[in-house]
Amino acid sequence: MAGPGAAEGTAAIPAGAASQREPAAAAAMSSVASYESLVHAVSGAVGSVTAMTVFFPLDTARLRLQVDEKRKSKTTPAVLLEIIKEEGLLAPYRGWFPVISSLCCSNFVYFYTFNSLKTLWVKGQHSTTGKDLVLGVVAGVANVLLTTPLWVVNTRLKLQGAKFRNEDIVPTNYKGIIDAFHQIIRDEGVLALWNGTFPSLLLVFNPAIQFMFYEGFKRKLLKRQVELTSLDVFVIGAIAKAVATTLTYPLQTVQSILRFGRHRLNPENRTLGSLKNVFYLLRERVRRFGLIGLYKGLEAKLLQTVLTAALMILVYEKLTAATFTVMGLKRSRRH
């Protein structure tokens, strides 16, 4: 809080100390606004867009399995065939643009924050597993708070027009991204744009765990070889994401349901809210489907997210390295 005490504290700093801190503050700001952080952010965004476009139908199948509990088809291929048969050949790519837009913004924010903080904290030294985890969590929190409205809208748009088996789902009719924002704010209030924020904040451990394992594997391999091959990057990226996804999947299911926000599952038959219903949804899912219900759609999620994450990291690493090479700059060795 910036009250009178804060002003007094500032006034009490000796002029000499203040002048010594100015270069340090300037250096910190230059690190945060560095060209290197921007390259990492753009490369991460491009990598995620490329990978998600390739594997988008798998994400469509995963989302249907999570949200539509009464769907009888249990496997990814069966769900995709069902969607194509009932809704058309392009249905697995429904909602592609809002998802890609959200993903691009989300990964830009995440990679920029992660690498800026890493520059400030590590300062040319070797990173550690603990530092990677902390940096991943902080970057994830910033990402969630800034981009959750985009993910709420893209979840709605992606499921619009879907043929649900669950009669408790309320249909939507949005004309596009802007209209979806307008209708959600008008009908449900501005806070509805942050539906699912609580599980999303808990889920910052997903990318944090992913990058902790990825950076750890990377450091171990680089001790034995000069640089990583494309196969090395793809494999360790896939393994890291598989571990993170399996550990956090039940919360991802709740997150999808809350973002969709069109279920009527409570006794008063009203659409669910957000924070207070997280544990309610987890209990209900276990009660109705058993513990296995918490992992419904995991096959599709693992298939999609592992392949997407592996390809994303591969594109990210190669694009970052190529950019620094073309610009004639030396990439910081903070790994």
Side-chain angles (χ1 to χ4, degrees):
M1 294 180 64
E8 290 168 7
T10 303
I13 297 173
S19 63
Q20 289 173 7
R21 290 182 184 182
E22 286 175 4
M29 286 302 296
S30 65
S31 295
V32 171
S34 70
Y35 176 77
E36 184 174 345
S37 294
L38 184 62
V39 171
H40 281 289
V42 172
S43 298
V46 172
S48 64
V49 167
T50 302
M52 178 56 83
T53 299
V54 173
F55 298 113
F56 193 81
L58 298 178
D59 191 57
T60 298
R62 180 271 309 174
L63 193 56
R64 295 293 180 90
L65 285 166
Q66 286 182 323
V67 172
D68 194 3
E69 300 96 336
K70 296 186 179 180
R71 184 175 289 274
K72 292 181 180 179
S73 297
K74 306 296 183 184
T75 65
T76 303
V79 170
L80 284 175
L81 287 173
E82 204 169 66
I83 292 170
I84 292 170
K85 181 180 178 181
E86 295 178 355
E87 303 170 33
L89 190 61
L90 296 179
Y93 275 92
R94 180 184 290 121
W96 173 84
F97 181 74
V99 169
I100 291 301
S101 301
S102 302
L103 195 64
C104 185
C105 294
S106 181
N107 277 277
F108 185 92
V109 170
Y110 187 88
F111 278 92
Y112 194 94
T113 305
F114 184 87
N115 284 283
S116 295
L117 293 175
K118 196 165 189 176
T119 300
L120 288 172
W121 194 6
V122 178
K123 295 180 181 177
Q125 302 172 0
H126 287 289
S127 187
T128 64
T129 300
K131 286 183 179 180
D132 288 334
L133 183 62
V134 172
L135 291 172
V137 169
V138 175
V141 169
N143 178 32
V144 166
L145 295 178
L146 289 171
T147 66
T148 290
L150 289 171
W151 287 111
V152 168
V153 167
N154 89 53
T155 300
R156 302 278 184 100
L157 290 171
K158 192 170 181 180
L159 290 170
Q160 183 166 277
K163 295 185 182 300
F164 294 109
R165 307 298 191 272
N166 189 348
E167 62 275 5
D168 291 321
I169 293 176
V170 184
T172 59
N173 184 27
Y174 304 129
K175 297 175 183 177
I177 296 175
I178 303 301
D179 185 53
F181 271 107
H182 173 71
Q183 285 196 45
I184 292 170
I185 293 172
R186 183 193 65 196
D187 299 338
E188 303 170 50
V190 69
L191 290 181
L193 292 172
W194 275 269
N195 276 353
T197 296
F198 183 60
S200 295
L201 287 173
L202 294 178
L203 280 170
V204 300
F205 284 100
N206 183 298
I209 292 169
Q210 175 192 350
F211 278 93
M212 178 185 74
F213 275 95
Y214 175 74
E215 295 287 350
F217 290 145
K218 189 175 176 181
R219 281 191 292 270
K220 288 185 180 298
L221 285 176
L222 287 174
K223 287 179 181 178
R224 302 200 301 263
Q225 56 198 71
V226 177
E227 61 181 25
L228 300 182
T229 66
S230 296
L231 182 60
D232 290 333
V233 173
F234 190 89
V235 170
I236 64 175
I239 294 172
K241 190 62 177 179
V243 173
T245 298
T246 303
L247 290 175
T248 60
Y249 188 75
L251 281 173
Q252 292 183 51
T253 298
V254 170
Q255 178 193 55
S256 294
I257 294 171
L258 288 172
R259 280 176 173 172
F260 185 41
R262 311 306 298 173
H263 287 71
R264 291 195 183 105
L265 296 178
N266 57 355
E268 297 179 5
N269 203 38
R270 291 201 303 262
T271 303
L272 283 172
S274 182
L275 301 183
K276 65 180 180 180
N277 292 297
V278 172
F279 296 108
Y280 168 79
L281 282 170
L282 287 172
R283 287 197 308 271
E284 279 296 293
R285 209 162 181 88
V286 171
R287 184 182 67 80
R288 296 170 70 186
F289 307 107
L291 285 175
I292 197 70
L294 295 176
Y295 289 90
K296 186 179 181 185
L298 178 60
E299 175 213 357
K301 181 63 176 176
L302 277 177
L303 189 59
Q304 176 261 324
T305 199
V306 168
L307 292 174
T308 301
L311 182 57
M312 183 272 288
I313 289 177
L314 177 59
V315 174
Y316 159 71
E317 291 282 6
K318 295 301 180 183
L319 187 56
T320 303
T323 302
F324 283 119
T325 300
V326 170
M327 299 304 294
L329 297 174
K330 184 178 180 181
R331 185 175 181 177
S332 175
R333 296 286 293 177
R334 299 192 309 271
H335 306 295

